[in-house]
């Protein structure tokens, strides 16, 4: 058994129809036939120990030294144990940030936060480095290149001509697209590294930034392709759904074509969201199972099948919590940047004319760095732990993880390993 982050080896997936590698309890039909005693109690007179049997006689229970049905051991009997005290199943092993059993929503969120807390040097070091580099590039582009392409004041000017509106809209789209592209590249790097960190944290093993980079490096080209494939697929779906309305609008010039295009965009957005959730676990599948782009997409689709709403709900909840946390950090920095930039609120809202100054870009960029540093680990952690949870539910991955963690079995004694921990 390999205890590296590649514990989810290709070809061992039960969702592909092959369960030969997963140890399962024998079916009741396969168990040896029970041999009943020749001496059976009279019919209708079998009662629980300690209750009144028919005829007013006390039913025979276990001896004075035997275990008691209430869960308390009899005299001379050891306390604890599942069979003797009937106290419930053994607790799941918890070598790392999550118990090795199917997870609840709170446990997935808590596991992501626990990973950041337990391995904060590595996690925050990676997130901070990527966030700083990304934000420096964005600030330099906005300050030196994007702001010099022309003002976007025409977008708020009711008297602007069509050419001015088109030029201002084009500049705005270019700026937004460049920022999104840089953010996408930053997300790609931090996702690759934090996936490795979280996979080790599940096993209770620490990893340095250099070790995470060494483990992730072979899959980086494929992950880069996957990072661009998913948003391009979403844009393609929305665009194809708008094509009928655009064609009608161009050929007939009627408003019905515009309305149909808007309706198509809405339908395409819904379909794109469905596809993004369906393929949302392709990144950990690619990194941890060493899969290709196509196989990782199929792997994610198989894992999410039948659990789409659950995966969507958990990811939506995580996104809301992360955005609230980031807003709490970024908004104060934005107001500080407005106050220090000298343009006041009118300059921030675009009513004072002129470009955004360096003071505003730098101060607001500091807030963005802090927000991203905290948001990256939670987002990546939730995705990886969702992947682990679904594999535990569908493929008994917990058995493999127990062996990879070097434990003797799923009932290993670990503090806080019970449900809900």
């Amino acid at each position: 058994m390999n205890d590296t982050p590649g514990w989810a080896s290709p070809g061992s997936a039960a969702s592909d129809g092959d369960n030969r590698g997963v140890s399962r309890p024998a079916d009741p039909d396969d168990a040896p036939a029970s041999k009943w005693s020749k001496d059976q109690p009279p019919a209708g007179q079998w009662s629980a120990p300690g209750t009144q049997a028919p005829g007013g006689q006390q039913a025979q229970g276990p001896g004075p030294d035997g275990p008691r049905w209430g869960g308390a051991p009899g005299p001379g009997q050891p306390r604890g144990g599942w069979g003797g005290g009937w106290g419930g199943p053994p607790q799941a092993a918890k070598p790392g940030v999550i118990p090795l059993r199917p997870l609840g929503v709170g446990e997935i969120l808590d596991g992501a936060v626990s990973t950041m807390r337990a391995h904060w040097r590595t996690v925050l070091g990676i997130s901070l480095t990527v966030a700083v580099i990304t934000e420096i590039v964005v600030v330099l582009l906005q300050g030196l290149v994007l702001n010099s392409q022309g003002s976007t004041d025409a977008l708020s000017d009711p008297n602007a001509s069509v050419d001015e509106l088109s030029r201002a809209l084009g500049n705005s789209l270019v700026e937004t697209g460049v920022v999104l592209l840089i953010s996408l590249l930053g997300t790609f790097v931090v996702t690759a590294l934090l996936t490795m960190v979280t996979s080790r944290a599940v096993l209770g093993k620490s990893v340095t930034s250099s070790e995470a980079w060494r483990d992730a490096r072979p899959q980086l080209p494929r992950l880069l392709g996957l990072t661009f494939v998913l948003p391009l697929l979403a844009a393609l779906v929305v665009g194809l759904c708008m094509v009928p309305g655009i064609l009608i609008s161009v050929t007939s010039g009627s408003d019905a074509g515009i309305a149909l295009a808007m309706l198509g965009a809405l339908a395409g957005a819904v379909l794109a969201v469905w596809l993004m959730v369906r393929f949302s676990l392709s990144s950990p599948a690619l990194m941890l199972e060493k899969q290709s782009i196509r196989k990782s997409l199929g792997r994610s689709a198989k894992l999410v099948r039948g659990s789409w709403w659950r995966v969507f709900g958990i990811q939506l909840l995580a996104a809301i919590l992360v955005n609230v946390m980031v807003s709490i950090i970024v908004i104060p920095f934005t107001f500080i940047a407005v106050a220090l930039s000298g343009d006041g609120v009118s300059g921030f809202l675009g009513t004072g004319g002129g470009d955004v100054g360096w003071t505003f870009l730098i101060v607001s960029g500091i807030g963005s760095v802090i927000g991203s540093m905290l948001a990256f680990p939670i987002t990546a952690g939730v995705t990886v732990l969702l992947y682990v949870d679904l594999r535990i539910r569908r493929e008994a991955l917990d058995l493999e993880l127990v062996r990879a963690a070097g434990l003797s079995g799923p009932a290993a004694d670990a503090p806080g390993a019970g449900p809900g921990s």
Side-chain angles (χ1 to χ4, degrees), residues 53 94 105:
K94 188 179 180 183
V105 177

Side-chain angles (χ1 to χ4, degrees), residues 45 70 92 101 106 125 130 279:
Q45 295 189 11
R101 55 169 171 76
V130 174
F279 297 139

Side-chain angles (χ1 to χ4, degrees), residues 45-181:
Q45 295 189 11
W46 187 258
S47 55
T51 59
Q52 246 356 70
Q57 304 223 352
Q58 183 76 18
Q60 296 296 322
D65 295 334
R68 301 178 181 177
W69 283 74
Q77 295 293 322
R79 290 186 176 271
W82 184 24
W86 295 89
Q91 292 180 331
K94 188 179 180 183
V97 295
I98 58 170
L100 301 183
R101 55 169 171 76
L103 304 174
V105 177
E107 290 170 328
I108 292 176
L109 297 174
D110 179 70
V113 176
S114 297
T115 301
M116 181 171 59
R117 187 170 58 245
H119 308 281
W120 64 271
R121 288 185 179 88
T122 302
V123 172
L124 296 183
I126 292 173
S127 300
L128 179 61
T129 302
V130 174
V132 167
I133 295 175
T134 301
E135 197 61 33
I136 287 176
V137 175
V138 169
V139 168
L140 291 177
L141 284 175
Q142 288 179 330
L144 298 176
V145 180
L146 299 178
N147 277 343
S148 63
Q149 292 183 355
S151 175
T152 58
D153 292 341
L155 294 176
S156 58
D157 186 3
N159 299 321
S161 63
V162 175
D163 291 339
E164 291 174 339
L165 288 173
S166 300
R167 187 163 52 252
L169 181 61
N171 291 338
S172 178
L173 291 177
V174 168
E175 180 177 350
T176 303
V178 170
V179 172
L180 287 177
L181 177 61

